[in-house]
Amino acid sequence: MNRKYGAILVAALLALLTLFASACSEQNKPESNNASGKENKPTTDQNTNDTPAVSNEPVDPLGKYPETITVTQVMGFSPPQDGKTPKSITPETNGYVTKLKEMLNIDIKYLWTVPSDQFEQKFSLSVASGDLPDVMAIGITDFEKFKEDGILADLTDAYNNYASPRLRQYVEQDGGATLNLFKDENGKILGLPNFEDPYLSTQILWIRQDWLTQLNLEVPQTLEELEMVAEAFVKQDPDNNGKDDTVGIAINKDLITWGFDARGLFHTMGAYPKAWIKGPDGKLIAGEIQPETRKALEKLQSWYQKGILDKEFAYKDINKVVEDVVAGKVGIAFGEWWYPEWPLNLNRDKDPKADWQAYVLPSYDGKPGVPMIPKMRLSSVAVANKDMKNPEAMVKMANFYLEMQNPEYKDINKPENGFVYTWYQPRFYNPTDIADGYTTVNEALKTGKTDTLDPQHLSLYEKAKKYLEGDQSHWGMYTSRVDENGGWGLTQKIKEMPVIFNEFAGSPTPTQIEKGASLDKLTDETFTEIIVGSPISDFDKYAESWKKLGGNDISEEINAWYEKTLQNQ
């Protein structure tokens, strides 16, 4: 869901999904970096050609600059998640921004801010013009481009000297293997990876139980049963308004994206397009050209012909689909754990009877649906512009965000005080934060003990408690994060079930960088054309074209990476 909330929603796929830094064991408890007003002078040798050595002099990861330094950024933002946030708060007056100035004497200046859905286009224009800010949170493709173009600052000295123990713990949670992907050939650090729990991507099924009840239907267990329920939702007026205005299963024109797409259906049928999975011979194969994907497209074509899919889906982006969901026109959606926080909560605001429930993927051909999990889920990469005067400030800004999650700030770091965490970068998270919150909040609800909860998890606890006492305004947060049968509760159970992994977790290969975008466009256009009526035999022509236009070369490069990775394990 963090795709919705962060500035890098699209590039990550989604920022929706990353929320709240915390820890739940003695090993993971944050160190206390109390900002006492100590001052350190900014480093002055960050842009030298030689790899800097680690300073022997102790430095304060939150040391306050003696003179104000300005750091430029850009932002795509959505409205604050919490309704208690004062209406007058802007990105410039965000509590995190003003507190950063107070504690570290770092002044953030935004070159521009736009709504989240305009960020990608605006950022592309900035890249083309070369008008880039000091600090950025970018995706891996942009990282490779910026690295090749020589845009990125050397962060080696900044990271080694200034990263707090907590930031190091999160950045190097896999022993530093992923951090190595963001170094140049000389070992200089050019970016800091921000991890998330790979299971945040788990596909589940959301269904309106009140519609099932209205039509006397049972929860579907198989794909065939799901199809029958979806047809009933289209033809039998489940909302009882006397109009032919409902959609069976919601998908948007981007079939494989970050929400309200077709991934869940593909996974149900054992198809994993735009992923690299193990083939029968142990080598990695591209999911988009496999027979299972062909069958899934044939099923989607059938659903389109039966009216289960919106006849206008090929023209609707995710925002248009969300409008249908909020308006109460949708009864079924494949997706992730976070939907109750947005936009299912908005549907309930308009119709309190809307009873969305989460279920595992249905079975197909006698076998359980198996979701795909990425081997590594990287939400973003924090980088600095090579022209930035004080690149260590980026590291200190990351330390600051983690510091603000400590319990001693719980009375300050509140939405009602103007703190909007989704408007702040760079922010790093405990990769197990959502799981930790689920466990610790449920335990606190049972025991009533909250002294070990950090500010974000304490806020979650308070909202969960209010919901259980009857405050329906917190349904979304509770259902997505706390309910044992809700979004994350179900995802936790799926961790004990069979899954399939997207095995590729490296940087884009040379041919991917050169031809990946055109191959993705070919895939997207062919899949959509088949669903809306082109003969299924077009898939076979597409698969051959995909191979000839660069797919075979990419396959060789991916498997070379995979073989090397296996040798290094």
Side-chain angles (χ1 to χ4, degrees):
M1 89 170 275
N2 297 308
R3 304 171 184 79
K4 167 185 178 261
Y5 299 121
I8 313 297
L9 300 182
V10 179
L13 158 23
L14 301 38
L16 224 255
L17 302 177
T18 14
L19 297 168
F20 306 151
S22 66
C24 68
S25 67
E26 289 301 317
Q27 178 181 357
N28 291 335
K29 281 183 181 177
E31 78 290 350
S32 179
N33 285 332
N34 184 27
S36 59
K38 296 179 183 177
E39 298 181 349
N40 3 343
K41 295 180 180 180
T43 44
T44 58
D45 58 347
Q46 299 302 318
N47 295 321
T48 59
N49 292 324
D50 297 324
T51 303
V54 179
S55 170
N56 292 324
E57 297 182 9
V59 297
D60 183 355
L62 289 170
K64 187 173 183 179
Y65 288 102
E67 297 181 4
T68 301
I69 69 165
T70 299
V71 174
T72 59
Q73 291 187 296
V74 297
M75 182 195 294
F77 66 98
S78 298
Q81 177 186 358
D82 197 301
K84 295 179 182 177
T85 306
K87 302 297 184 185
S88 60
I89 293 297
T90 67
E92 291 80 5
T93 61
N94 182 9
Y96 280 102
V97 171
T98 57
K99 193 67 174 176
L100 177 71
K101 175 70 182 300
E102 174 190 325
M103 289 175 57
L104 273 69
N105 208 10
I106 296 174
D107 186 25
I108 292 180
K109 176 185 177 182
Y110 291 104
L111 301 182
W112 49 260
T113 62
V114 295
S116 294
D117 60 358
Q118 299 175 26
F119 178 82
E120 188 174 20
Q121 180 180 14
K122 181 72 172 177
F123 189 66
S124 296
L125 292 174
S126 291
V127 172
S129 66
D131 187 19
L132 294 172
D134 292 328
V135 171
M136 296 168 278
I138 60 177
I140 192 168
T141 301
D142 278 334
F143 174 83
E144 291 298 326
K145 174 177 171 43
F146 290 1
K147 175 183 174 183
E148 183 178 344
D149 293 344
I151 291 173
L152 304 177
D154 176 10
L155 297 174
T156 311
D157 190 41
Y159 180 75
N160 288 339
N161 282 341
Y162 289 92
S164 68
R166 191 175 180 187
L167 179 61
R168 292 177 189 273
Q169 176 189 334
Y170 295 170
V171 169
E172 302 178 44
Q173 64 97 30
D174 61 353
T178 302
L179 179 60
N180 288 335
L181 294 175
F182 301 99
K183 295 179 179 180
D184 67 9
E185 60 276 6
N186 297 316
K188 295 179 180 179
I189 299 172
L190 300 180
L192 305 182
N194 197 354
F195 292 95
E196 295 175 325
D197 186 334
Y199 278 83
L200 290 171
S201 299
T202 305
Q203 290 293 295
I204 57 179
L205 189 63
W206 290 97
I207 303 179
R208 281 194 63 165
Q209 178 62 47
D210 56 310
W211 283 16
L212 291 175
T213 302
Q214 172 72 18
L215 301 181
N216 247 353
L217 298 172
E218 298 293 326
V219 175
Q221 304 296 319
T222 68
L223 187 60
E224 292 75 15
E225 292 173 354
L226 178 65
E227 183 173 320
M228 289 190 295
V229 167
E231 278 196 276
F233 281 3
V234 172
K235 299 176 180 179
Q236 297 182 27
D237 193 22
D239 56 358
N240 203 30
N241 69 352
K243 299 178 182 178
D244 182 18
D245 62 351
T246 49
V247 176
I249 298 176
I251 63 172
N252 75 90
K253 65 184 180 67
D254 298 313
L255 298 173
I256 304 162
T257 182
W258 57 269
F260 295 97
D261 56 346
R263 284 173 298 162
L265 182 276
F266 282 119
H267 295 182
T268 295
M269 299 183 68
Y272 305 96
K274 297 192 178 181
W276 293 87
I277 58 177
K278 286 183 182 179
D281 61 356
K283 293 185 177 181
L284 301 189
I285 56 177
E288 52 262 52
I289 60 173
Q290 303 309 314
E292 292 82 0
T293 299
R294 189 183 197 274
K295 290 181 180 179
L297 289 171
E298 200 166 14
K299 174 61 71 176
L300 286 167
Q301 184 185 73
S302 169
W303 283 1
Y304 183 78
Q305 292 169 348
K306 292 180 178 181
I308 291 174
L309 304 182
D310 187 342
K311 289 295 184 182
E312 302 297 321
F313 93 87
Y315 305 101
K316 289 187 173 184
D317 61 16
I318 194 167
N319 293 321
K320 291 295 184 183
V321 173
V322 164
E323 288 177 8
D324 289 340
V325 172
V326 174
K329 296 180 180 180
V330 174
I332 302 171
F334 291 103
E336 300 175 5
W337 63 277
W338 47 266
Y339 280 17
E341 288 185 51
W342 181 85
L344 304 187
N345 60 327
L346 303 179
N347 177 214
R348 276 180 58 93
D349 288 345
K350 294 176 72 73
D351 179 8
K353 299 189 299 297
D355 182 14
W356 289 93
Q357 297 291 330
Y359 302 99
V360 296
L361 297 178
S363 64
Y364 169 69
D365 200 20
K367 300 176 183 178
V370 179
M372 184 194 72
I373 309 299
K375 269 295 181 69
M376 176 186 73
R377 175 164 163 144
L378 190 68
S379 67
S380 63
V381 185
V383 299
N385 192 317
K386 66 178 177 59
D387 296 326
M388 183 179 181
K389 293 181 180 179
N390 305 109
E392 82 286 342
M394 188 200 82
V395 177
K396 294 170 75 172
M397 289 165 65
N399 295 338
F400 163 79
Y401 178 79
L402 296 176
E403 168 73 10
M404 290 302 297
Q405 311 315 310
N406 287 338
E408 56 262 41
Y409 298 98
K410 65 182 179 180
D411 293 329
I412 299 173
N413 184 5
K414 292 182 176 182
E416 52 264 46
N417 292 335
F419 282 77
V420 185
Y421 75 95
T422 57
W423 292 358
Y424 182 85
Q425 287 287 4
R427 59 181 191 271
F428 285 78
Y429 299 106
N430 175 1
T432 62
D433 174 63
I434 303 298
D436 290 350
Y438 173 81
T439 301
T440 58
V441 169
N442 271 296
E443 182 65 25
L445 287 171
K446 294 174 183 176
T447 65
K449 297 179 180 180
T450 63
D451 53 314
T452 61
L453 297 178
D454 67 27
Q456 302 290 8
H457 290 162
L458 179 61
S459 174
L460 178 59
Y461 165 81
E462 292 171 346
K463 291 173 182 177
K465 198 166 185 295
K466 289 178 180 177
Y467 172 75
L468 293 172
E469 293 170 350
D471 185 348
Q472 292 296 307
S473 67
H474 299 300
W475 172 85
M477 190 73 76
Y478 178 82
T479 304
S480 62
R481 296 173 180 269
V482 182
D483 188 352
E484 293 182 358
N485 296 312
W488 191 255
L490 183 60
T491 302
Q492 283 285 92
K493 296 171 186 175
I494 291 174
K495 288 185 176 183
E496 306 301 320
M497 302 177 186
V499 297
I500 191 166
F501 288 99
N502 180 359
E503 298 287 344
F504 181 59
S507 300
T509 69
T511 309
Q512 279 182 316
I513 294 173
E514 180 185 357
K515 300 180 179 180
S518 60
L519 288 175
D520 280 345
K521 182 179 179 183
L522 174 66
T523 299
D524 296 340
E525 290 177 351
T526 303
F527 284 14
T528 300
E529 289 168 0
I530 289 174
I531 293 171
V532 300
S534 293
I536 191 64
S537 59
D538 280 3
F539 179 86
D540 306 316
K541 300 173 186 176
Y542 149 78
E544 290 304 312
S545 296
W546 185 92
K547 295 174 186 177
K548 293 176 181 177
L549 295 174
N552 280 341
D553 292 334
I554 293 174
S555 296
E556 290 180 5
E557 293 167 351
I558 293 289
N559 277 287
W561 168 88
Y562 187 56
E563 184 177 345
K564 184 178 180 180
T565 300
L566 292 177
Q567 291 173 351
N568 292 335
Q569 288 180 348

